[in-house]
Amino acid sequence: MRLPLVIPMVFALPLVACAAPPTGLQALIVEPSSIVLNGHNRQQHLLVTGRMADGRLIDLTQDCELNIDKRAVARIARSLIVGVADGTAELRVRAGTLETRIPIRAQELAGFPAVHFANDVVPLFSKFGCNSAGCHGKASGQNGFRLSVFGFDPNADYDALTREARGRRVFPASPRQSLVLLKPTGQLAHGGGRRLEIGSPDYEILLHWIEQGMPLGRADAPKPVTVRVSPVNRVLTSQSEQQILATVVFSDGGTRDVTAAATYTSNAGLIAEVDRGGRIRTGKLPGEAAITVNYMGHVAAVRIQVPRADGPNPYPVVPVHNRIDELVKSKLRLMGIAPSELADDASFLRRVSVDLIGTLPTPNEVREFLADKRADKRARWIDRLLEREEYADLWAMKWADILLINRDKLGDRGAYEFHRWLREQFARNRPYDAWVRELLTASGDSAKNGPVNFFRAAATPEDAAKAVSQAFLGVRMECAQCHHHPFDKWGQDDFYGLAGFFNGLTRKPVAKGKDLVFHAGFRETRMPLTDRLVAMRPPDSPAEAAIPPNDPRSRLAAWLTARDNPWFARLAVNRLWKQFLGRGLVDPEDDLRATNPATNEPLLDYLASQLVEHDFDLQAVMR
């Protein structure tokens, strides 16, 4: 967002001196490494990190000395650098005996740059919650004023502000008297309370937008494409603080500091909470938290770990038998947690039987296992259980829920054929990618070809898009059907681009409870309400280069089951981990997004790589 220069003079100090740095400080890291202020409404937050002798990284943003040699060019407002006039200067950052120098260049500060509605104004509505579902973003709006949810439709928001209600929300003849300024500043009654301070940078953006004639902005203006955050991961002690630096990257490669413009949310407020300015504060409890950073629908996550203060010291010697043990031990040690003791034979047999075949071992099986003195008896018993009929029964039952096998909707015959086919895949230990491809491209008689019933359960292109993305990718796209996902990068173009693969899928009733399912060929997909054409494409992928002459689902199936698909294998192994450990490495297990990271990302990556290396043999990973 473009932020103007409106800084109370009490903060405009040439020198900012803070608390003494901790002992053992070895190095200073300052971000960004150089500062460019392009325009009167630009400013740059700093992130100062100290590296300690033991390798720990600590936030020194509020605990260092900042000094700019030319106050006529730029000034410091706490950890914020603001431009004063065109020119160059140097920022000196000092902590203890360490010092780092950062070049500053200020340019084009003579005037206020043109305000772009989508890039500069809409983010304000998101920052202050104006376009949330609980305020003006809900379907009916609020007190006659309706905004698109999370700003997914800037053009509609522009019309709502400038044209609806005879344009009374803006007053170009006297901009400061515009309702869009009077209400959120509390000068007129406002149901949402006071959201904006007179004279603040955000106020100035709205004011200058109105003064400039309320421009929509150039259609070819660079658009935000991603948001970068620093730090990405940080280990903190209890009751400590950490500043986030958020930077948006535009389509032309340019960047802008949006630390003050982004919105921040913690998924575990008792572990770590975050304020509106991106300042994290940990509580008294140990654990992990993910801080979601959202700017105009582009999201990133900052992972915070707070280890147990009373963890084992020294850490116990833990036996390691494989790569999984190494990765688990590494994470437990980081968090100050000692692993449980090795399960005894009786406990192991009970647990592995329930996990793999869904039933307890018989008394005879228990006696046989306990009497076995071979060193590899546990591995042998796992192989034995994987050959049991109950193995296929259990896993077919679990996947029946995921794949929407419901006799009330499919009828007795359809549900039976679908379940029979699914059980056969596990009984044969057919590669996971192979049977998923067959499922996604299934056509034919629902009473004879089991997998076609999936497209009877997910009867519309929209239903199929939601079911496929959640079942096989762990991507929950239902929010994006109506508006941009609040905690992920998906928008309506992503949702309807995926739904386009199923547009043309036909279900022709041929008898009671029996359909002929086939794809009649590619059909264009249009966005509801706007009737705009949407290009068919898999999630996070370019649009299809050429329109397929017939059934496009084969292209989707090839992309989805590809060895380098970033979600397919990860979701499969995460489901296995939940079955065996009671909770997925990502929880919920089918919600794989950047803002919901795994508790052990290296372990999840390793397990996914093993599934791919074993040609999607689920039993190999189970072993």
Coordinates of all heavy atoms in Angstrom, one line a residue, residues 60-112:
L60 N 16.1 -7.7 17.6 CA 16.7 -6.5 18.2 C 16.1 -5.2 17.7 O 16.7 -4.2 17.9 CB 18.2 -6.5 18.0 CG 19.1 -7.6 18.7 CD1 20.5 -7.5 18.4 CD2 18.9 -7.6 20.2
T61 N 15.0 -5.4 16.9 CA 14.4 -4.2 16.3 C 14.1 -3.1 17.3 O 14.3 -1.9 16.9 CB 13.1 -4.6 15.6 OG1 13.4 -5.7 14.7 CG2 12.6 -3.5 14.7
Q62 N 13.7 -3.4 18.5 CA 13.4 -2.4 19.5 C 14.6 -2.3 20.5 O 14.4 -1.5 21.4 CB 12.1 -2.8 20.2 CG 10.9 -3.0 19.4 CD 10.5 -1.8 18.6 OE1 10.7 -0.7 19.1 NE2 9.9 -1.9 17.4
D63 N 15.7 -3.0 20.3 CA 16.8 -3.0 21.2 C 18.1 -2.6 20.5 O 19.1 -3.3 20.8 CB 16.9 -4.3 21.9 CG 15.6 -4.7 22.7 OD1 15.2 -3.8 23.5 OD2 15.1 -5.8 22.5
C64 N 18.1 -1.7 19.6 CA 19.3 -1.3 19.0 C 19.3 0.3 18.8 O 18.2 0.9 19.0 CB 19.4 -2.0 17.6 SG 18.1 -1.6 16.5
E65 N 20.4 0.8 18.5 CA 20.5 2.3 18.3 C 20.5 2.6 16.8 O 21.2 2.0 16.0 CB 21.8 2.7 18.8 CG 22.1 4.2 18.7 CD 23.4 4.6 19.2 OE1 23.7 4.5 20.5 OE2 24.3 5.1 18.4
L66 N 19.5 3.5 16.4 CA 19.4 3.8 15.0 C 19.7 5.3 14.8 O 19.3 6.1 15.6 CB 17.9 3.6 14.5 CG 17.4 2.2 14.7 CD1 15.9 2.1 14.4 CD2 18.1 1.1 13.9
N67 N 20.5 5.6 13.8 CA 20.9 7.0 13.5 C 21.0 7.2 12.0 O 21.6 6.4 11.3 CB 22.2 7.3 14.2 CG 22.6 8.7 14.1 OD1 21.7 9.6 13.9 ND2 23.8 9.0 14.3
I68 N 20.4 8.3 11.5 CA 20.5 8.7 10.1 C 21.4 9.9 10.0 O 21.2 10.9 10.8 CB 19.1 9.0 9.5 CG1 18.3 7.6 9.4 CG2 19.2 9.5 8.1 CD1 16.9 7.8 8.9
D69 N 22.4 9.9 9.1 CA 23.3 11.0 9.1 C 22.7 12.3 8.5 O 23.2 13.4 8.8 CB 24.6 10.6 8.3 CG 24.3 10.2 6.9 OD1 23.1 10.1 6.5 OD2 25.3 10.1 6.1
K70 N 21.7 12.2 7.6 CA 21.1 13.4 7.0 C 19.6 13.4 7.3 O 18.8 12.8 6.6 CB 21.4 13.4 5.5 CG 22.8 13.4 5.1 CD 23.0 13.3 3.6 CE 24.4 13.2 3.2 NZ 24.6 13.1 1.7
R71 N 19.3 14.2 8.3 CA 17.9 14.3 8.7 C 17.0 15.1 7.7 O 15.8 14.9 7.7 CB 17.7 15.0 10.1 CG 18.1 14.2 11.2 CD 18.0 14.9 12.5 NE 19.1 15.9 12.6 CZ 19.1 17.0 13.5 NH1 18.0 17.1 14.3 NH2 20.1 17.8 13.6
A72 N 17.7 15.8 6.8 CA 16.9 16.5 5.7 C 16.4 15.6 4.7 O 15.6 15.9 3.9 CB 17.8 17.6 5.1
V73 N 17.0 14.3 4.6 CA 16.6 13.3 3.6 C 15.6 12.3 4.1 O 14.6 12.0 3.5 CB 17.8 12.6 3.0 CG1 17.4 11.5 2.1 CG2 18.8 13.6 2.3
A74 N 15.9 11.8 5.4 CA 15.0 10.8 5.9 C 15.1 10.9 7.5 O 16.0 11.4 8.0 CB 15.4 9.4 5.5
R75 N 14.0 10.5 8.1 CA 13.9 10.5 9.6 C 13.5 9.1 10.1 O 13.0 8.3 9.3 CB 13.0 11.6 10.0 CG 13.5 13.0 9.7 CD 12.5 14.0 10.3 NE 13.0 15.4 9.9 CZ 12.3 16.5 10.3 NH1 11.2 16.4 10.9 NH2 12.8 17.6 10.0
I76 N 13.6 8.9 11.4 CA 13.3 7.7 12.0 C 12.1 7.9 12.9 O 12.1 8.8 13.7 CB 14.5 7.1 12.9 CG1 15.8 7.1 12.0 CG2 14.1 5.8 13.4 CD1 17.0 6.8 12.9
A77 N 11.1 7.0 12.8 CA 10.0 7.0 13.7 C 10.0 5.6 14.3 O 9.5 4.6 13.7 CB 8.7 7.3 13.0
R78 N 10.6 5.4 15.4 CA 10.9 4.1 16.0 C 11.7 3.3 15.0 O 12.8 3.6 14.7 CB 9.6 3.5 16.5 CG 8.9 4.2 17.6 CD 7.6 3.6 18.0 NE 6.9 4.4 19.0 CZ 5.7 4.3 19.5 NH1 4.9 3.3 18.9 NH2 5.2 5.0 20.4
S79 N 11.1 2.2 14.5 CA 11.9 1.4 13.5 C 11.4 1.6 12.1 O 11.6 0.8 11.2 CB 11.7 -0.1 13.9 OG 10.3 -0.5 13.9
L80 N 10.8 2.8 11.9 CA 10.2 3.1 10.6 C 11.0 4.2 10.0 O 11.3 5.3 10.6 CB 8.8 3.6 10.8 CG 8.0 3.9 9.5 CD1 7.8 2.7 8.6 CD2 6.6 4.6 9.9
I81 N 11.4 4.1 8.7 CA 12.2 5.1 8.0 C 11.2 5.8 7.0 O 10.6 5.2 6.2 CB 13.4 4.5 7.2 CG1 14.2 3.6 8.1 CG2 14.2 5.6 6.6 CD1 14.8 4.3 9.3
V82 N 11.2 7.1 7.1 CA 10.3 7.9 6.3 C 11.1 9.0 5.6 O 12.0 9.5 6.1 CB 9.1 8.6 7.1 CG1 8.2 7.6 7.7 CG2 9.7 9.5 8.2
G83 N 10.7 9.3 4.3 CA 11.4 10.2 3.5 C 11.0 11.6 3.9 O 9.8 11.9 4.2
V84 N 11.9 12.6 3.7 CA 11.7 14.0 3.9 C 11.9 14.8 2.6 O 11.0 15.6 2.2 CB 12.6 14.6 5.0 CG1 12.4 16.1 5.2 CG2 12.4 13.9 6.3
A85 N 13.0 14.5 1.9 CA 13.3 15.2 0.7 C 14.1 14.3 -0.2 O 14.8 13.3 0.3 CB 13.9 16.5 0.9
D86 N 14.2 14.6 -1.5 CA 15.0 13.8 -2.4 C 16.5 13.8 -2.0 O 17.0 14.9 -1.6 CB 14.9 14.2 -3.8 CG 13.5 13.9 -4.4 OD1 12.7 13.4 -3.7 OD2 13.2 14.3 -5.6
G87 N 17.2 12.7 -2.1 CA 18.6 12.7 -1.8 C 19.0 11.3 -1.3 O 18.2 10.3 -1.3
T88 N 20.2 11.2 -0.8 CA 20.8 10.0 -0.3 C 21.2 10.2 1.2 O 21.6 11.3 1.6 CB 22.0 9.5 -1.1 OG1 23.0 10.4 -1.1 CG2 21.5 9.2 -2.5
A89 N 21.2 9.2 1.9 CA 21.6 9.2 3.3 C 22.1 7.8 3.8 O 22.1 6.9 3.0 CB 20.5 9.7 4.2
E90 N 22.5 7.7 5.0 CA 23.0 6.5 5.5 C 22.4 6.2 6.9 O 22.4 7.1 7.8 CB 24.5 6.5 5.6 CG 25.1 5.1 6.0 CD 26.6 5.2 6.0 OE1 27.2 5.8 6.8 OE2 27.2 4.5 5.1
L91 N 21.9 5.0 7.1 CA 21.3 4.6 8.4 C 22.4 3.7 9.1 O 22.9 2.8 8.5 CB 20.1 3.8 8.2 CG 19.5 3.0 9.4 CD1 19.0 4.0 10.5 CD2 18.4 2.0 9.0
R92 N 22.7 4.1 10.3 CA 23.7 3.3 11.1 C 22.9 2.6 12.2 O 22.1 3.2 13.0 CB 24.7 4.2 11.8 CG 25.7 4.8 10.7 CD 26.9 5.5 11.4 NE 26.5 6.6 12.2 CZ 26.4 7.9 11.8 NH1 26.6 8.1 10.5 NH2 26.1 8.9 12.6
V93 N 23.0 1.3 12.2 CA 22.4 0.4 13.2 C 23.5 -0.1 14.1 O 24.4 -0.8 13.7 CB 21.6 -0.7 12.5 CG1 20.9 -1.6 13.5 CG2 20.7 -0.2 11.5
R94 N 23.3 0.2 15.4 CA 24.3 -0.3 16.4 C 23.7 -1.0 17.5 O 22.6 -0.7 18.0 CB 25.1 1.0 16.9 CG 26.1 0.6 18.1 CD 26.8 1.9 18.5 NE 27.7 2.4 17.6 CZ 29.0 1.9 17.5 NH1 29.4 1.0 18.4 NH2 29.8 2.4 16.6
A95 N 24.3 -2.1 17.9 CA 24.0 -2.9 19.1 C 25.2 -3.3 19.8 O 26.0 -4.1 19.2 CB 23.1 -4.1 18.7
G96 N 25.5 -2.8 21.0 CA 26.7 -3.1 21.6 C 27.9 -2.5 20.8 O 27.9 -1.4 20.5
T97 N 28.8 -3.4 20.5 CA 30.0 -3.0 19.8 C 29.8 -3.2 18.3 O 30.7 -2.9 17.5 CB 31.3 -3.7 20.3 OG1 31.0 -5.2 20.1 CG2 31.5 -3.5 21.7
L98 N 28.7 -3.8 17.9 CA 28.5 -4.1 16.5 C 27.7 -3.0 15.8 O 26.8 -2.4 16.4 CB 27.7 -5.4 16.4 CG 28.3 -6.7 17.0 CD1 27.4 -7.9 16.8 CD2 29.7 -7.0 16.3
E99 N 28.1 -2.8 14.5 CA 27.4 -1.7 13.8 C 27.3 -2.1 12.3 O 28.2 -2.8 11.7 CB 28.2 -0.4 13.8 CG 27.6 0.7 13.1 CD 28.3 2.0 13.2 OE1 28.2 2.7 14.2 OE2 29.0 2.4 12.2
T100 N 26.1 -1.8 11.7 CA 25.8 -2.1 10.3 C 25.3 -0.8 9.7 O 24.6 -0.1 10.3 CB 24.8 -3.2 10.1 OG1 25.3 -4.4 10.7 CG2 24.5 -3.4 8.7
R101 N 25.7 -0.5 8.4 CA 25.3 0.7 7.8 C 24.5 0.3 6.5 O 24.8 -0.5 5.8 CB 26.5 1.5 7.3 CG 27.4 1.9 8.5 CD 28.4 3.0 8.2 NE 29.2 3.4 9.4 CZ 29.8 4.5 9.5 NH1 29.8 5.4 8.5 NH2 30.5 4.8 10.6
I102 N 23.3 1.0 6.4 CA 22.4 0.8 5.3 C 22.2 2.0 4.5 O 21.9 3.1 5.0 CB 21.0 0.3 5.9 CG1 21.2 -0.9 6.9 CG2 20.0 0.1 4.8 CD1 21.7 -2.1 6.2
P103 N 22.4 2.0 3.2 CA 22.2 3.1 2.3 C 20.7 3.5 2.2 O 19.9 2.5 2.1 CB 22.8 2.7 1.0 CG 22.7 1.2 1.0 CD 22.9 0.8 2.4
I104 N 20.4 4.7 2.1 CA 19.0 5.2 1.9 C 19.0 6.1 0.7 O 19.8 7.0 0.5 CB 18.5 6.0 3.1 CG1 18.5 5.1 4.4 CG2 17.1 6.5 2.9 CD1 18.2 5.9 5.6
R105 N 18.0 5.9 -0.2 CA 17.8 6.8 -1.3 C 16.3 7.2 -1.4 O 15.4 6.4 -1.4 CB 18.2 6.2 -2.7 CG 18.1 7.1 -3.8 CD 18.6 6.6 -5.1 NE 17.7 5.7 -5.8 CZ 17.9 4.4 -5.9 NH1 19.0 3.8 -5.3 NH2 17.0 3.6 -6.5
A106 N 16.1 8.5 -1.3 CA 14.7 9.1 -1.3 C 14.6 9.8 -2.6 O 15.4 10.6 -3.0 CB 14.5 10.0 -0.1
Q107 N 13.5 9.6 -3.3 CA 13.2 10.2 -4.6 C 11.7 10.4 -4.9 O 10.9 9.7 -4.3 CB 13.8 9.4 -5.7 CG 13.4 8.0 -5.8 CD 14.2 7.1 -6.7 OE1 15.4 7.4 -6.9 NE2 13.7 6.0 -7.2
E108 N 11.4 11.4 -5.7 CA 10.0 11.7 -6.1 C 9.2 12.1 -4.8 O 8.0 11.7 -4.8 CB 9.4 10.6 -6.8 CG 10.2 10.2 -8.1 CD 9.5 9.0 -8.8 OE1 8.4 8.7 -8.5 OE2 10.2 8.5 -9.7
L109 N 9.8 12.8 -3.9 CA 9.1 13.1 -2.7 C 8.3 14.5 -2.7 O 7.7 14.9 -1.8 CB 10.0 13.1 -1.5 CG 10.7 11.8 -1.1 CD1 11.5 12.0 0.2 CD2 9.6 10.7 -0.9
A110 N 8.4 15.1 -3.9 CA 7.8 16.5 -4.0 C 6.3 16.4 -4.0 O 5.6 17.3 -3.5 CB 8.3 17.1 -5.3
G111 N 5.7 15.3 -4.4 CA 4.3 15.2 -4.5 C 3.7 13.9 -4.1 O 4.5 12.9 -3.8
F112 N 2.4 13.8 -4.0 CA 1.8 12.5 -3.6 C 1.5 11.7 -4.8 O 0.7 12.2 -5.7 CB 0.5 12.9 -2.8 CG 0.0 11.7 -1.9 CD1 0.2 11.8 -0.6 CD2 -0.7 10.6 -2.5 CE1 -0.2 10.8 0.3 CE2 -1.1 9.6 -1.6 CZ -0.9 9.7 -0.3

